Amino acid sequence: MATFLYRIGRLAFRRRHFVALIWVALLTLAGVGAASAPAAGNSSFSIPGTEAQKAFDLLEQRFPGMSADGATARVVFKAPAGEKMTDKPNKAAVEKTVRELGHGSEVASVADPYTGHTISRDGSIAYTSVKYKVSGMELEDSSRDALKKAAQDARDAGLTVEIGGDALNAMPETGSGEVIGIAIAAVVLVITFGSLLAAGLPLLTAIIGVGIGVSAITALASPLDLGSTTSTLATMIGLAVGIDYALFIVSRYRAELAEGREREEAAGRAVGTAGSAVVFAGLTVVIALVGLSVVNIPMLTKMGIAAAGTVAIAVLIALTMIPALLGYAGRRVKPAGEKSRLLGGGRKPKNPGRPNMGTRWAAFVVRRPVAVLLLGVIGLGAAAVPAASLELGLPDDGSQPTSTTQRRAYDLLSEGFGAGFNGPLMVVVDAKDSGHPRTAFTEVSTEIKGLKDVVAVTPATPNKAGDTAIITVVPKSKPSSKSTEDLVHAIRDKGEATAAKSDAEVLVTGSTAMNIDVSQRLNDALLPYLALVVGLAFLLLIVVFRSVLVPLKAALGFLLSVLAALGAVVAVFQWGWLSGLLNVQQTGPVMSMMPIFMVGVVFGLAMDYEVFLVTRMREAYVHGEKPGQAVVTGFRHGARVVTAAAVIMIAVFSGFIGSSESMIKMIGFGLAIAVFFDAFVVRMAIVPAVLALLGRRAWWLPKWLDRMLPNVDVEGEGLRTRSTAEGTEDERELVRA
């Protein structure tokens, strides 16, 4: 592989005009497609095979035109202090609003608060429910505008009006944090390379790669039903790996220049050696992201595949566009150790013979491996302790910032009717095979009324055929609470007993029940997914390192860092530690897809550092150095670059903590802290300590397995042999002359 990539690097360096033209054309094509595509909405949480989804499908058949999965909006009204919603002026304003809301072409129904009795006991708060014929993703902007206008007209009449539900789902705002993250990445690159031009190359190529990836996602958002968060997550991961992959190749290029090689040859060797590590690191990330499809949640599958596509683009750009841009840069990119004039180039170093910090740290770890190992493991173990209290759920309007109308509507409903009104349960009774449907409906209603944590149960509403009915159940607790989850399971248990007696099937659905089913599916899929991803990556790393113990150590270290990161997420988002600093306005259960998403993304990123750092060690070991010295050599060449890469990744992920959407905020924090733990504790401390303790055993591989594995030559041994052969041929030519 090293030889093949070497040729690609040299070809891209020589044919840089052609390579640059191809990438600019791809960026333009993707940009045009994105500009002409409709905006993405929020993808639904539908899951094939769950009870909630089965109930939705049944409602579509038995209640045609009901649009069970259509968008909903709850317009909540509050009377001025000292007044009631039943006062004539307030009632007139509400009735006018209800009439305005019913005029939209996409509106299926609007409930009148006065005929539907949706007024609080003290008379101060009322709400109307608006049901749309299409889902939130398909809802036109004109319908949203009409909804906002009707609410504003009621505000002008003196009422407090807020809107909840999924009809107003908006694109998440990341704020200025993303820009700050990129700015920090730029500063780190300048410090690492000592040159503005060399620092700009990884940033430029990463932005181009993300631009192509995100534009393609935007262009395909409507036909593929991609949610608004898909492009955000692809941006987050694409920026991080794009900068890192380019960083490693540019660093290796400068190291090759420092050894006296010509620029084209240096570009070829950089792509042949560091590029091999980039390919395998990228493969681990892609495996982890595409592996999310085994969970069988369409939204998560699309997010994973979209992000994996952006990572693949980042790998291709690093292998082709970076050497092309290095060709354009020429002598302005200095060899390793040299700085540009603007940043102090030409000055004599203060301590020219002193080992760099990476060398000194590795030497310390090799001398004290047991102490470093124990300290690292105990520290991560302590950080992981809160993970034992992990509670999972999915965000609702109650997790929105208090500045949003959705959150204010949620709070008003809780104030006037109780927290459970924000997440009513829809119980569907299928009595088609029952001899006495109405009796079955009554029995189900009676059974549910007897359950604890139930505030209200509406009378059964049958369809025209009279074989299916809908019963609305209002819980006492908020939608994301454990009590509401227990209530859903209790209703389903009662339904099984009813089915045995009257041949009627009872199904629980609605957004709250759907969220509970999503969480359960994610929990059930976590261990199989972990086994699949770690297993495939383990086999891949055996091929890369030609060792059994090194990949095993990499996987165990990853599990430590993920558990510690989950502990930090629980401490902040569930317990509320540092919540003010991070602007976490509502604590509660951790998003249910967080563990599995962190496993997928962080595993791929963790293997990046493992591959980049340990391949340098193996390269030194293969070329004759002792195991302890090989660890030091690997750190001398790779520690500075891996440190810079980790800081950049942390900065990019941290930029998304400023998002207005709780899911993006939590993912940004979780990934940032996981990279910190994995890069600086696991890879920089635990890995060298374990390798120092194992010695030569770290590189042990059974002979039978050695014969079976392909030789991918990540260390670039083929290039070294090629160089030696060329040198011998040159000597022969001199002798003949």
Side-chain angles (χ1 to χ4, degrees), residues 391 396 410 453 475-487 512 516 589:
E391 295 178 9
D396 53 28
Y410 181 98
D453 208 46
K476 184 185 297 182
S477 305
K478 63 182 181 179
S480 59
S481 69
K482 184 68 167 58
S483 299
T484 301
E485 182 180 347
D486 292 339
L487 176 60
T512 301
I516 291 170

Side-chain angles (χ1 to χ4, degrees), residues 343-571:
L343 298 174
R347 298 178 186 173
K348 292 183 179 180
K350 295 181 180 179
N351 299 301
R354 188 185 183 191
N356 62 22
M357 186 176 294
T359 304
R360 298 197 301 274
W361 168 250
F364 170 77
V365 174
V366 169
R367 288 196 306 270
R368 301 283 188 273
V370 176
V372 172
L373 178 61
L374 288 176
L375 187 62
V377 171
I378 292 172
L380 290 179
V385 168
S389 303
L390 177 65
E391 295 178 9
L392 298 176
L394 285 173
D396 53 28
D397 285 347
S399 62
Q400 297 271 10
T402 53
S403 59
T404 63
T405 186
Q406 291 97 327
R407 172 60 185 278
R408 292 196 292 264
Y410 181 98
D411 292 340
L412 283 176
L413 283 173
S414 297
E415 176 188 340
F417 303 93
F421 265 77
N422 285 291
L425 305 176
M426 185 185 296
V427 179
V428 182
V429 184
D430 180 8
K432 189 174 184 180
D433 298 328
S434 175
H436 305 282
R438 292 190 177 277
T439 303
F441 301 156
T442 304
E443 287 180 357
V444 172
S445 297
T446 304
E447 292 281 1
I448 294 174
K449 288 177 182 177
L451 296 173
K452 68 174 184 178
D453 208 46
V454 172
V455 171
V457 178
T458 64
T461 305
N463 62 348
K464 289 183 179 180
D467 58 5
T468 307
I470 298 173
I471 302 170
T472 301
V473 180
V474 179
K476 184 185 297 182
S477 305
K478 63 182 181 179
S480 59
S481 69
K482 184 68 167 58
S483 299
T484 301
E485 182 180 347
D486 292 339
L487 176 60
V488 169
H489 293 309
I491 295 173
R492 287 173 174 172
D493 292 340
K494 289 290 184 182
E496 292 179 4
T498 302
K501 290 188 297 184
S502 58
D503 294 325
E505 186 177 13
V506 179
L507 304 171
V508 185
T509 189
S511 59
T512 301
M514 179 65 79
N515 288 351
I516 291 170
D517 287 349
V518 169
S519 298
Q520 188 62 49
R521 174 67 64 84
L522 287 165
N523 291 342
D524 294 342
L526 181 57
L527 287 179
Y529 170 72
L530 186 62
L532 173 69
V533 171
V534 174
L536 288 176
F538 180 77
L539 295 176
L540 185 65
L541 292 178
I542 288 179
V543 174
V544 174
F545 295 127
R546 306 196 77 78
S547 164
V548 174
L549 295 180
V550 170
L552 180 61
K553 173 258 317 165
L556 293 176
F558 151 74
L559 291 175
L560 257 180
S561 59
V562 164
L563 286 174
L566 277 176
V569 169
V570 169

